[in-house]
Amino acid sequence: NADNIAWYLKTEVLKTTGIVLHNEEKTNRPAIFLNLKYKKPDPGESYHLIIENNLVVIQASSEKGLFYGVVSLLQMLRTAKIKHGVAEISGCKITDAPAYAWRGLMLDESRHFFGKEKVKEILDWMAFYKLNRLHWHLTDEPAWRLEIKKYPNLALIGGIGDYLNENAPAKYYSQEDIKEIIAYAANRFIEVIPEIDMPGHATAANRAYPEYSGGGTPEHPEFTFNPGLEKTYSYLTDILKEISVLFPSQMIHLGGDEVSFGNEKWKTNPDIISLMNTKNLKDVKEVEDYFMKRMADSVFRLNSKLLVWDEMANAGLPTEKTIMFWWRHDQPKQLRTLMEKRYRTVLCPRLPLYFDFVQDSTHRYGRKWNKLYSPIEDVYNFNAAGFVEKEQELSFIEGIQANLWTETVPDRARLDFLLFPRLAALAESAWTKQKNKNLEAFKFRLKSHINLYNQAGLYYYDPFQPGQHPETPVKRKKPLNYKD
Ligand code: ACM
């Protein structure tokens, strides 16, 4: 409610500026009013912020809107000149609303684990930038990062290792940790969505419970779950049950990407051949789609929405309960299919929204695509309308998201380096209508945010003074483009 939001404002102002805001009903001094007038059924996320005559009034018809108004005020205070405990901010009348409902960041903690404090810090910055979805990639080849009570070895054994060191001690989030992070995010109006990748990218899970493995390839050993065994479906459904109780977002991302990287054993596995015969599935792609439809049913029975990568565009998943993530920028036909089938879609094309791609031509340790990369300008200029063929298709675009895969991110400094300042540009793309964008004005404002990154001790990339924080070398295990 509004009290919580007022409390958030007070604590953030105190923490970041040292200024104490008092709770006083009547005062002749400058005052801030938070005015929440509920409007139903769909109040949206908009707000009004009016600053005049020593009064600040923030008005909204939803808590989300009120929160974003408060964040705008906070942005002004944090970038204002402060003298003797007094911040000077200009008068204004702002009416504001986000361009997209889905304003996401994906963090991969399978390849490297950053831990609760770093995740909370990221949530703080997401809130500061009015982003509202943390897509948490918690399972993959190197490690499984969350506790499942019914299958403790997923965390205890699956949690061992990271991208560079398969023997690194187990690191994972306990269910208590997860609850703490979700509550922290909820206070910032951020929903947390877990990704439990299947049927591929299942390597770490298969180390813990090999009886559900569908095999892999020399390069991607034990990469898949076995879709030919009935017990695989109940095992994975049990896992999803715990997850659906833990994550109140009622959205579960099941991945579904790159299964073909490691499913060659499916062709000769007797259980899978038998499944193909009984269910009339003509190839392994149809097996993959069958598997995902079964798991989708489990997700729906748990009253959750299903989220998947764009490989699932033709799997026949129900449009009203599924959100698709278009990531393969080199496959525009997948996006065409999603639009034609009227799937709600989150745009996260590698160029420019994969933040493990480098942001400057001189950077050497992140990904590139035929020499192309993801500079901050491209993130700022990202325009969803440029990806659809018909105006009405824009209504299927749920929003946009940046994805940070962490093969090249072994430590927090590197994480900062790839996130900042591109996170600011992502926020602008998610929040600002294209016609209101102005790159030069953005760059001017960005300078004051760089001061904030300094105060916070972040190892950000400074596009204005690249020498400020040089790119730190990163060890490579193998060529980076294996995911592509
Ligand atoms: C992906 O990058 N494999 C979704």
Side-chain angles (χ1 to χ4, degrees):
N1 56 32
D3 286 345
N4 289 344
I5 297 169
W7 183 83
Y8 177 82
L9 177 65
K10 276 173 67 172
T11 50
E12 287 296 307
V13 167
L14 180 62
K15 193 167 79 187
T16 58
T17 68
I19 296 171
V20 179
L21 301 177
H22 297 279
N23 268 356
E24 281 168 36
E25 287 298 318
K26 290 201 182 90
T27 172
N28 297 320
R29 297 195 307 184
I32 301 168
F33 291 94
L34 305 187
N35 189 349
L36 179 57
K37 280 209 189 102
Y38 282 107
K39 200 176 77 190
K40 294 208 160 123
D42 180 15
E45 301 179 86
S46 66
Y47 66 89
H48 299 285
L49 169 60
I50 301 140
I51 304 178
E52 59 185 1
N53 306 326
N54 273 341
L55 288 183
V56 177
V57 179
I58 300 171
Q59 241 168 336
S61 37
S62 71
E63 290 172 0
K64 289 179 195 171
L66 196 66
F67 180 75
Y68 295 128
V70 157
V71 171
S72 286
L73 176 63
L74 201 54
Q75 289 178 346
M76 290 177 187
L77 289 171
R78 290 187 62 182
T79 52
K81 285 217 165 61
I82 298 181
K83 255 200 215 152
H84 310 299
V86 177
E88 234 176 74
I89 52 178
S90 329
C92 63
K93 276 189 185 162
I94 294 171
T95 297
D96 196 13
Y100 297 103
W102 188 288
R103 305 181 295 277
L105 175 68
M106 190 216 76
L107 178 66
D108 164 17
E109 285 205 88
S110 172
R111 294 184 175 84
H112 285 104
F113 184 87
F114 300 97
K116 233 167 25 176
E117 291 317 308
K118 191 66 186 175
V119 171
K120 285 184 182 174
E121 191 187 318
I122 292 171
L123 289 166
D124 281 338
W125 284 105
M126 285 178 71
F128 185 70
Y129 285 126
K130 301 172 186 158
L131 301 171
N132 64 353
R133 302 279 190 271
L134 178 68
H135 167 175
W136 210 1
H137 188 83
L138 290 167
T139 70
D140 212 304
E141 291 179 83
W144 177 285
R145 301 296 189 194
L146 81 164
E147 177 191 24
I148 299 295
K149 304 251 191 221
K150 184 157 187 185
Y151 298 102
N153 287 345
L154 283 170
L156 296 174
I157 294 175
I160 296 171
D162 61 30
Y163 182 73
L164 293 173
N165 173 9
E166 62 180 36
N167 298 314
K171 285 190 185 154
Y172 61 88
Y173 293 103
S174 70
Q175 296 203 352
E176 287 308 307
D177 292 335
I178 300 263
K179 284 181 201 159
E180 184 182 327
I181 288 171
I182 288 171
Y184 195 87
N187 275 330
R188 288 152 183 77
F189 294 85
I190 297 168
E191 292 198 276
V192 183
I193 299 104
E195 181 183 352
I196 308 300
D197 209 341
M198 60 182 75
H201 292 276
T203 320
N206 289 337
R207 268 193 282 126
Y209 295 95
E211 58 270 43
Y212 304 105
S213 175
T217 60
E219 205 186 338
H220 299 285
E222 310 303 334
F223 186 72
T224 61
F225 291 116
N226 185 345
L229 295 176
E230 216 29 56
K231 67 175 184 182
T232 304
Y233 298 95
S234 35
Y235 164 64
L236 294 173
T237 299
D238 285 345
I239 293 171
L240 296 184
K241 276 183 193 157
E242 287 194 29
I243 284 174
S244 78
V245 174
L246 211 46
F247 288 84
S249 61
Q250 294 193 294
M251 292 185 261
I252 303 179
H253 202 304
L254 292 189
D257 55 323
E258 299 176 325
V259 185
S260 63
F261 281 22
N263 65 355
E264 69 180 35
K265 292 247 169 71
W266 289 12
K267 293 177 189 147
T268 52
N269 179 303
D271 295 313
I272 298 173
I273 292 169
S274 155
L275 176 82
M276 290 172 80
N277 289 335
T278 32
K279 302 289 175 191
N280 226 348
L281 308 170
K282 71 175 188 314
D283 55 27
V284 288
K285 179 60 186 161
E286 289 197 358
V287 173
E288 190 182 312
D289 294 349
Y290 168 86
F291 168 91
M292 195 51 88
K293 274 190 282 207
R294 294 251 336 236
M295 292 315 302
D297 283 342
S298 293
V299 170
F300 302 145
R301 275 200 301 272
L302 294 167
N303 262 325
S304 294
K305 275 198 175 152
L306 171 72
L307 281 55
V308 282
W309 300 108
D310 69 54
E311 279 89 336
M312 290 294 136
N314 288 303
L317 298 163
T319 49
E320 71 283 7
K321 293 185 267 191
T322 306
I323 301 177
M324 295 271 181
F325 287 66
W326 180 66
W327 66 281
R328 293 182 292 176
H329 73 283
D330 57 328
Q331 297 212 29
K333 72 170 197 318
Q334 292 298 108
L335 181 58
R336 273 299 78 236
T337 303
L338 296 178
M339 292 297 103
E340 278 155 19
K341 294 183 189 266
R342 302 175 162 237
Y343 277 112
R344 304 211 62 80
T345 299
V346 173
L347 300 177
C348 50
R350 280 175 289 222
L351 293 171
L353 294 182
Y354 269 28
F355 282 5
D356 54 329
F357 278 62
V358 300
Q359 52 201 318
D360 185 84
S361 64
T362 63
H363 292 170
R364 297 175 45 210
Y365 298 102
R367 285 162 81 187
K368 286 186 188 166
W369 188 276
N370 299 332
K371 299 205 170 76
L372 297 175
Y373 52 97
S374 302
I376 189 165
E377 290 83 359
D378 290 6
V379 181
Y380 180 82
N381 286 324
F382 183 79
N383 178 14
F387 290 89
V388 299
E389 280 177 8
K390 306 185 198 91
E391 175 85 24
Q392 79 254 34
E393 288 176 356
L394 269 180
S395 67
F396 305 131
I397 303 295
E398 191 76 9
I400 69 172
Q401 176 170 295
N403 294 340
L404 183 53
W405 303 98
T406 56
E407 285 91 341
T408 66
V409 193
D411 54 44
R412 293 171 182 202
R414 176 84 184 163
L415 184 69
D416 294 347
F417 189 78
L418 294 174
L419 271 186
F420 301 95
R422 284 186 294 196
L423 201 64
L426 175 73
E428 295 266 358
S429 275
W431 199 270
T432 312
K433 301 230 165 31
Q434 202 64 20
K435 64 177 189 333
N436 295 330
K437 283 190 185 171
N438 178 333
L439 183 62
E440 289 317 307
F442 168 66
K443 285 188 168 171
F444 179 78
R445 283 179 286 126
L446 188 58
K447 290 185 179 154
S448 63
H449 287 214
I450 283 187
N451 289 336
L452 303 181
Y453 304 157
N454 277 327
Q455 286 165 24
L458 296 174
Y459 195 88
Y460 59 92
Y461 169 62
D462 188 339
F464 308 108
Q465 283 180 283
Q468 187 71 12
H469 294 134
E471 189 188 33
T472 46
V474 176
K475 271 191 240 152
R476 284 189 185 188
K477 214 168 70 172
K478 50 187 170 189
L480 281 172
N481 59 353
Y482 83 95
K483 287 185 74 69
D484 308 315

